[in-house]
Each structure stands twice: as C-alpha cells, then as structure tokens.
Amino acid sequence: TRAALDGVEFSARYALSCFYGAEAAPIFARELDWVSRYVPKDEDDALVFLSHDSAKRGAATPPSLLAHTSVPFGLRHLRAGTPDADVQADLLARLSKLLPWLPPPERVALHAWKNSQVRTPLELPGGAAALLGGGTTPPVVLTGDAFAPLGSRFDGCAQSADAAAAALVAALGERA
C-alpha cells in the first residue's frame, strides 16, 4: 500500500488573493460583468482562472479577487525555488495587463498550492474509491480524489466520499 501511495502524483499551482478597499467597489461593479472566468492561454500563459471572490460569496464587503495559475507555471516556479515575492510581483503584473482598470490591492496573499489536484490517482482493485485500513482500531479510511477513478473533479470527490462512507459503515458493522 505504501508503494502505491507513493505513486500518487499531484499538480501544483499558485493562488493569489487580492483585497481592495471599499472605494474600489464601484470600479469592480462598473468593470466586471462576470463572477469568475477562465483565462485562455492566448490571453495569458500563467493565469488560468479569475474569480471576483467577494461577489461569488455575495459578500457586502470590499471587493476581493482570486487568481489561480496554470500547473506548468506552478511547477516551474516551485521546482526552481522562485521567491514568493518574485512570483507575487509577476502575477500582479499579469493581472494588471489582463485588467488594466484594476486598482492596486491594499493587501495580497500568495499561496503555493503544492498539491492542488491529483494527476495520477491510486488505482484500487475493482475501481474502488476508498481504502479501508485492515485490522486497525479505529478503522482508517483513506479517501479523496487521489483514490477516485473519476479523478480530481467534483464527481470524483463525490464518488470517493460515497465509497468512504460505505467502507466506514461496513467496518463499523463488522465491529458491532
């Protein structure tokens, strides 16, 4: 089991959160006709997803914007050990180019997401989506999209959750 778990591979990317003051709200309201959108490669080769995060949550707070990078960008900079300040500066410049009306953020948070999505899931016998640790007390259920045959998508997460619940019910039933 350990060797199989070591074979699970994840993609990596960065997430950049930008927080703006209340005075930026009218600018966001005027300029954005979307809550979230994908960024095609011909527009930018590093940024792939933008979200007007405060609008997505229906929050009446000052605006916030979330940007996710591509996997190649994330892997390249994480493997090279690029300082976070350099990555952040690069991403802010890219955001300014994509959204030239964007005011400077009051606060920025960069998150290096080293395990953002499973690329190579664990293949379990019979297409299982959860693994029950045998003979342990309490039962240990390994689950998540790294175990789902459907992969790192919403259906894969739901598939793995269903399998985990079934494995746990079965394990608890055997102990009763």
Side-chain angles (χ1 to χ4, degrees):
T1 303
R2 175 62 190 216
L5 285 171
D6 286 343
V8 174
E9 291 182 20
F10 291 88
S11 60
R13 67 183 77 233
Y14 287 89
L16 179 73
S17 297
C18 299
F19 303 94
Y20 301 87
E23 70 282 352
I27 299 169
F28 274 73
R30 181 179 65 243
E31 297 292 337
L32 288 184
D33 60 354
W34 47 265
V35 173
S36 60
R37 76 175 187 102
Y38 285 96
V39 178
K41 281 186 181 182
D42 62 343
E43 286 185 39
D44 191 274
D45 64 349
L47 297 171
V48 294
F49 178 75
L50 302 177
S51 173
H52 180 190
D53 214 39
S54 49
K56 181 176 72 177
R57 289 181 272 119
T61 59
S64 59
L65 188 69
L66 176 67
H68 285 197
T69 69
S70 67
V71 171
F73 178 91
L75 288 173
R76 182 173 61 252
H77 289 286
L78 285 166
R79 287 179 179 157
T82 306
D84 285 352
D86 294 349
V87 172
Q88 181 174 304
D90 182 13
L91 295 177
L92 286 170
R94 290 169 181 273
L95 270 177
S96 290
K97 187 175 177 187
L98 279 174
L99 308 172
W101 53 266
L102 199 62
E106 286 186 357
R107 191 169 57 88
V108 177
L110 180 70
H111 177 69
W113 201 0
K114 295 177 183 172
N115 296 311
S116 70
Q117 286 180 298
V118 69
R119 293 181 72 160
T120 308
L122 180 66
E123 292 189 30
L124 297 173
L131 180 65
L132 179 65
T136 60
T137 304
V140 174
V141 179
L142 301 177
T143 188
D145 52 354
F147 298 91
L150 291 175
S152 192
R153 308 178 343 194
F154 180 78
D155 350 10
C157 295
Q159 178 188 45
S160 187
D162 286 345
L168 190 56
V169 166
L172 293 174
E174 291 172 7
R175 295 177 192 281

